[in-house]
């Protein structure tokens, strides 16, 4: 294969990744075929296999990109805050913004669970854990009400945040207000 042809094919990776994110988010991972992904990215099915060995590897790449995009937003938001509670609040708002912006990548991260792809479940869990580690660090810095488990509080909060796209309507409650209300019970004991 000529270097020019290889370069041209390698440049199709972003289009394939975007198409896979859109298809997986829109119709589901299992319902999406390689042929559909190829057509959506203006490639042949054989060209898809130039980039990935199988559909699971493509799902993993989409999931990883989605986690990184959300994590980047959370990191940027939290970095600009002064107190531990301000950092957690900023991270919650950034997480909400990321999953409510209708990004196909964010929808894949929220909707695909490891059981959906048993062959790569361990990799999906690793990526999810990498993201949750950031919230674990944020929770370690805040004072919670006495007797409240930081681990359970973190998991409850992330679960509630990830369910927000199901119930929030466009033009609904502002993101900052949702974040404030979700964090209010955690701050109940006059936490700093």
């Amino acid at each position: 294969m000529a270097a020019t042809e290889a370069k041209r094919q390698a440049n199709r990776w972003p289009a394939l990744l975007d198409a896979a994110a859109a298809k997986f988010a829109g119709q589901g991972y299992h319902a999406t075929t390689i042929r559909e992904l190829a057509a959506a990215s203006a490639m042949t099915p054989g060209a898809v296999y130039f980039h990935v060995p199988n559909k699971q590897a493509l799902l993993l790449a989409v999931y990883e990109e989605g986690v990184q995009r959300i994590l980047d937003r959370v990191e940027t938001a939290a970095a600009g805050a002064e107190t531990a509670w301000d950092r957690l609040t900023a991270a919650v708002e950034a997480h909400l913004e990321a999953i409510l912006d209708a990004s196909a990548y964010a929808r894949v991260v929220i909707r695909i669970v490891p059981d959906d792809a048993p062959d790569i479940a361990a990799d999906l869990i690793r990526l999810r854990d990498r993201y949750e580690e950031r919230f674990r660090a944020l929770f370690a810095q805040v004072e919670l009400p006495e007797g409240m488990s930081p681990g359970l509080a973190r998991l409850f909060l992330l679960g509630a945040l990830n369910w927000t796209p199901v119930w929030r309507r466009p033009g609904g409650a502002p993101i900052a207000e949702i974040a404030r209300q979700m964090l209010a019970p955690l701050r109940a004991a006059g936490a700093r």
Side-chain angles (χ1 to χ4, degrees):
M1 173 184 314
T4 305
E5 184 180 347
K7 184 177 178 184
R8 187 175 69 244
Q9 287 179 343
N11 288 339
R12 299 299 306 150
W13 176 246
L16 177 59
L17 208 57
D18 288 347
K23 289 289 188 183
F24 294 157
Q27 67 189 39
Y29 167 69
H30 292 292
T32 302
T33 67
I34 290 291
R35 286 190 184 283
E36 289 172 322
L37 294 170
S41 56
M43 299 170 74
T44 65
V48 171
Y49 291 113
F50 170 80
H51 296 285
V52 291
N54 53 43
K55 192 169 76 167
Q56 293 91 349
L58 190 52
L59 172 61
L60 185 59
V62 167
Y63 199 91
E64 185 167 17
E65 178 68 20
V67 166
Q68 191 60 51
R69 288 179 181 199
I70 297 170
L71 186 57
D72 288 347
R73 287 176 88 158
V74 166
E75 289 289 348
T76 299
E82 288 186 29
T83 71
W85 276 106
D86 290 344
R87 284 188 291 280
L88 181 57
T89 301
V92 166
E93 288 179 17
H95 180 95
L96 282 169
E97 288 168 356
I99 65 170
L100 291 172
D101 75 358
S103 158
Y105 289 95
R107 288 184 297 164
V108 168
V109 169
I110 299 305
R111 292 180 182 166
I112 301 290
V113 295
D115 289 347
D116 291 335
D119 293 346
I120 58 169
D123 294 315
L124 297 176
I125 290 168
R126 178 186 48 79
L127 290 168
R128 183 192 65 203
D129 288 349
R130 187 176 122 226
Y131 179 74
E132 286 183 12
E133 181 56 40
R134 182 60 181 122
F135 274 86
R136 194 173 287 112
L138 290 165
F139 267 82
Q141 298 171 7
V142 297
E143 183 182 329
L144 296 172
E146 188 175 333
M148 184 176 283
S149 162
L152 286 176
R154 175 182 47 81
L155 292 172
F156 292 157
L157 178 65
L158 287 170
L161 291 171
N162 291 341
W163 193 253
T164 306
V166 173
W167 57 261
R168 184 179 184 263
R169 301 290 175 248
I175 288 174
E177 180 61 15
I178 295 170
R180 188 185 72 73
Q181 292 284 339
M182 285 186 171
L183 289 170
L186 303 179
R187 297 182 77 157
R192 48 189 157 111

